[in-house]
Amino acid sequence: MKVGKPAPRQPDPTAPKTRPDPTSQVSLGRRAGFALFWNIAFMPLKAGLSLFVALIIVKLFPQRTYVALAAVTAMLASLGMFVDLGIERALPRFVGQIERELGRGALRRFLTLITTIKLAILALVIVVLTFFADVFIAWFNLGATQGRLYLALVATLLVLGALYDVCTQILYSFFKQKVTNLLDIVVNVLNPLLTLGLIVWPFRLEVYGVMLALLATTVISVGIAFWQAWLASKEATLIAQQERDLAQAALEANRQNALLESPLDPADSQPGPDQGQIRPKGSIWRRFTRYAALMYFFSLSAWFYDAPFAVLLFTFYGEFLTVALIRLSYSFIKQLLKTLLAPFLGVQTPLFSSIHAESGADGQRDDRLQAAYSSISKLQIFLLVPSAIGAMLLSRNLVELLFLRKSEEAVLKTGDLNLAVWVTVLTVLFTFSEALISLPMVILQVYERYRLVVLSRTLPILGGAVLVLAAFLGWNVIAAVCVMGSMAVGSRLIAMVALRRVFGLAYPLKFFWKVLKASLAFGVPLVATIFFLPVNWPVTFAATVLSVAIFFL
């Protein structure tokens, strides 16, 4: 960090440097590395329990009940997105900077104001849900008797979820991945256990059980998250004070050196009002508002091609098979994708924000930015490309073994198996492709290239109109998945091209082709044999192990 001018004659080893101190880069890399480690360490437990509960729900629930659960959870996710206002996703970008530059008191007032605004909006939403309950119940087929209770649970979870999101985003801002993963373990251990206890014998509460388990888990996690966020903020305050003391000491040493070597009047060597401190570009409050508005637009545009919007839309038109298959495929594939991307959770935005804040415009920004962009992209390619090919080729086995149930009330019946397999293949193709090129959007947001981000996010809004047309005309689930996926991937492609033109950052295509060829080395033999083998767990497991071995060889 640049805190003063070096002496004009001989360089002083104690004088501040004009380039970022390498130790700060090492510190940043170590913090991000620890974050990656803790994300990976807790990944198997979280993923395994979530998948187990999802499978139990598919096996136990009738299709009509499963559709009701899909509608209620989609309503919760949609309302949570609408009342979010982009605040939670903007916090990692600014929390640390506000505390360093304006102090802990300003940060406390800032978070209090944000929480008050969110609670006021939530109160308005609850009033709307209360007075128009019958309308929502009729729109989404929630049932006359249980619909009001569903809406009451949704309203309560919205309030608790807003508080939890604020606290966890503060923890992400300070690279507290160990704490956030412990919170995730509480959620992903306690919630499945409570869910299983409430939806299976002896209670069999079905949708009520899922929502009540989520409510109890959220209450506990909010208390833990608030406590840990307070501790993280207190620790960050101490670190910021140490950094200010070091900067002041370096400034004093530089002043003493200038006094010894320069005949100028001592008053001339005093630091100016802008020397030794960071002056952000523009008001930090105004920048936060702009960034939060962008995040809100980002979430709103993404909602038009995501599963919650499709579930609510097709539930409204009574296409229950489409609703069941969309929720089934997206919940399963998104869980798989979330597991694979768990090492990067809460790391990308703080990492690029730190690079942006520390490097400034001294000429080293491009090197550091290119290195971080290339490294993270290569890791994602290495994880996602072979996983996507393997998942698509084994989709028939996985869908039949995990979800198929021979019953007239089953979520997935035998006659719908082929349709479900194609939906799963397309979902894997589009969601994994979107994740592979999602990093450019993060960088454009961090570097405040808002016009480019808005341009790239207009495509999904148009896709939402097409999806409404598809539901109105009664198109099947294949058309719906294609519309949703193409809008998502197209938006990311626009952002990637914009990043290349503005920053000159090149996507590691050579590495992508290298990993793709290694993936095809097992994909081609697998596709030629898997359809002629019986569908059972030993065959599926053997094919998976053999594919992994061929890929690494």
Side-chain angles (χ1 to χ4, degrees):
M1 183 168 59
K2 188 175 181 180
V3 295
K5 294 182 180 180
R9 295 179 181 178
Q10 277 187 321
D12 181 13
T14 63
K17 299 177 176 56
T18 57
R19 292 185 177 183
D21 188 356
T23 58
S24 67
Q25 300 183 24
V26 174
S27 175
L28 174 62
R30 291 182 63 184
R31 284 188 295 160
F34 279 123
L36 289 172
F37 169 77
W38 287 113
N39 282 336
I40 295 173
F42 295 121
M43 177 176 61
L45 178 62
K46 296 188 298 182
L49 285 172
S50 299
L51 177 61
F52 179 71
V53 173
L55 293 178
I56 293 295
I57 290 175
V58 173
K59 292 290 187 180
L60 289 181
F61 282 21
Q63 187 182 91
R64 191 62 182 251
T65 305
Y66 190 77
V67 170
L69 176 62
V72 172
T73 53
M75 182 183 299
L76 176 61
S78 300
L79 291 175
M81 183 272 301
F82 280 113
V83 302
D84 168 56
L85 299 179
I87 291 174
E88 282 88 348
R89 299 185 64 182
L91 283 175
R93 176 71 176 86
F94 290 96
V95 164
Q97 187 176 359
I98 291 174
E99 186 158 23
R100 286 195 304 269
E101 298 178 8
L102 303 178
R104 189 179 184 187
L107 178 61
R108 187 184 298 112
R109 292 190 297 271
F110 173 75
L111 294 177
T112 302
L113 177 62
I114 284 176
T115 305
T116 304
I117 293 173
K118 289 182 64 67
L119 291 177
I121 296 174
L122 284 169
L124 178 62
V125 171
I126 292 172
V127 170
V128 172
L129 287 177
T130 302
F131 283 95
F132 296 94
D134 294 334
V135 177
F136 288 104
I137 291 171
W139 279 357
F140 304 119
N141 296 280
L142 299 180
T145 56
Q146 64 268 34
R148 290 186 176 273
L149 184 55
Y150 290 158
L151 294 179
L153 290 172
V154 166
T156 305
L157 285 168
L158 281 175
V159 176
L160 294 173
L163 298 175
Y164 178 77
D165 288 341
V166 171
C167 294
T168 53
Q169 291 299 336
I170 293 174
L171 294 173
Y172 282 137
S173 302
F174 297 119
F175 289 96
K176 295 296 182 179
Q177 261 65 26
K178 182 178 179 179
V179 177
T180 55
N181 276 287
L182 286 173
L183 281 170
D184 284 344
I185 287 181
V186 171
V187 173
N188 290 289
V189 171
L190 183 60
N191 185 56
L193 294 177
L194 289 174
T195 302
L196 290 176
L198 293 173
I199 65 174
V200 299
W201 187 88
F203 296 102
R204 293 186 178 276
L205 295 179
E206 294 183 334
V207 180
Y208 292 124
V210 176
M211 301 300 291
L212 290 174
L214 183 58
L215 177 62
T217 306
T218 306
V219 171
I220 296 173
S221 59
V222 164
I224 299 175
F226 181 81
W227 172 50
Q228 291 295 328
W230 175 264
L231 294 180
S233 176
K234 186 176 181 180
E235 177 185 346
T237 302
L238 296 176
I239 295 175
Q241 182 61 45
Q242 293 174 359
E243 291 179 350
R244 287 193 294 268
D245 293 341
L246 291 174
Q248 184 63 33
L251 188 63
E252 181 65 23
N254 184 54
R255 189 179 68 85
Q256 293 294 337
N257 182 69
L259 287 174
L260 292 174
E261 299 187 6
S262 175
L264 297 176
D265 186 80
D268 295 335
S269 61
Q270 294 294 332
D274 294 332
Q275 193 173 349
Q277 55 184 318
I278 299 175
R279 292 293 184 185
K281 182 182 178 181
S283 169
I284 196 169
W285 306 96
R286 180 167 54 86
R287 292 170 60 212
F288 178 84
T289 303
R290 292 177 60 197
Y291 194 84
L294 177 67
M295 292 297 97
Y296 190 56
F297 175 75
F298 185 90
S299 300
L300 184 63
S301 61
W303 179 70
F304 282 106
Y305 64 76
D306 206 359
F309 175 69
V311 165
L312 294 177
L313 180 63
F314 284 96
T315 301
F316 178 80
Y317 282 100
E319 299 289 342
F320 297 140
L321 177 60
T322 299
V323 173
L325 292 181
I326 287 178
R327 188 183 194 276
L328 192 67
S329 61
Y330 268 80
S331 60
F332 176 65
I333 300 304
K334 287 293 183 70
Q335 182 61 48
L336 174 62
L337 189 59
K338 181 180 178 181
T339 302
L340 294 173
L341 294 178
F344 309 98
L345 181 64
V347 174
Q348 299 176 21
T349 297
L351 176 62
F352 286 105
S353 297
S354 299
I355 293 174
H356 178 41
E358 294 178 7
S359 60
D362 60 357
Q364 290 206 5
R365 181 189 65 185
D366 292 341
D367 294 338
R368 298 184 65 195
L369 188 58
Q370 177 66 70
Y373 174 59
S374 179
S375 299
I376 295 180
S377 297
K378 286 181 179 180
L379 284 173
Q380 292 179 343
I381 290 170
F382 184 78
L383 289 172
L384 298 183
V385 171
S387 301
I389 292 179
M392 286 190 289
L393 295 178
L394 294 174
S395 59
R396 185 195 64 154
N397 292 42
L398 294 176
V399 169
E400 184 171 345
L401 292 172
L402 294 176
F403 305 127
L404 187 65
R405 185 159 58 98
K406 296 180 179 180
S407 172
E408 290 299 323
E409 296 183 347
V411 175
L412 180 62
K413 306 179 183 65
T414 305
D416 302 323
L417 177 61
N418 291 333
L419 184 61
V421 171
W422 278 109
V423 170
T424 303
V425 170
L426 291 172
T427 303
V428 171
L429 176 64
F430 287 119
T431 55
F432 276 68
S433 299
E434 179 192 3
L436 278 172
I437 55 176
S438 62
L439 196 56
M441 190 75 73
V442 176
I443 298 175
L444 290 175
Q445 293 165 7
V446 168
Y447 280 79
E448 302 180 18
R449 303 303 174 114
Y450 297 147
R451 291 183 180 180
L452 297 175
V453 175
V454 170
L455 176 64
S456 65
R457 301 308 301 177
T458 54
L459 189 62
I461 297 178
L462 299 177
V466 178
L467 197 61
V468 172
L469 179 63
F472 177 76
L473 296 178
W475 294 353
N476 66 5
V477 65
I478 297 294
V481 172
C482 288
V483 171
M484 297 160 63
S486 60
M487 294 302 105
V489 176
S491 174
R492 296 299 195 272
L493 283 174
I494 294 174
M496 186 170 69
V497 173
L499 186 72
R500 178 62 184 268
R501 296 189 62 180
V502 174
F503 291 96
L505 299 183
Y507 191 77
L509 287 175
K510 291 184 179 180
F511 186 79
F512 172 81
W513 292 118
K514 181 179 180 180
V515 175
L516 181 61
K517 287 188 291 184
S519 303
L520 292 176
F522 75 79
V524 173
L526 182 61
V527 73
T529 58
I530 191 67
F531 293 106
F532 300 100
L533 297 175
V535 178
N536 54 50
W537 282 114
V539 170
T540 305
F541 180 75
T544 303
V545 173
L546 183 61
S547 300
V548 173
I550 295 174
F551 172 74
F552 279 101
L553 288 176

